[in-house]
Amino acid sequence: SIARTELDPATLLMVRLAALAAVDAPADSYLMHVGPAIEADIGVEQVQDVLVAIAPIVGTPRVLSAAERIAGALDLVVAVMDLEASGAGAAGR
């Protein structure tokens, strides 16, 4: 879909996060998008804005579910990044 759209990467990822929330996607689906979102400089505030914007359409329970799943995926990505950084630092000594 990246090759078939003219959306910039950040906008495309925010649209995908909104779609995942709309369909009440499982946590694994968010995990696939959080890393690229971080790389595209999408901040927590932008993700919150997306969730607030879609809440009247998809409903509060789905938005809260999405927020929990996004936070869990973000925690996992940060933990992996921390492990990679500490492993790289140890290897360089």
Side-chain angles (χ1 to χ4, degrees), residues 16-92:
R16 286 182 177 183
L17 290 174
L20 290 172
V23 299
D24 201 22
D28 291 346
S29 296
Y30 290 99
L31 186 57
M32 294 173 49
H33 292 84
V34 168
I38 292 170
E39 291 173 8
D41 291 326
I42 296 173
V44 172
E45 297 82 14
Q46 290 173 295
V47 173
Q48 290 172 338
D49 287 345
V50 167
L51 294 177
V52 167
I54 66 170
I57 307 300
V58 302
T60 303
R62 285 210 173 166
V63 168
L64 292 175
S65 175
E68 289 176 7
R69 292 173 180 169
I70 291 168
L74 181 58
D75 287 344
L76 183 58
V77 168
V78 169
V80 168
M81 291 171 66
D82 287 346
L83 281 175
E84 289 176 353
S86 66

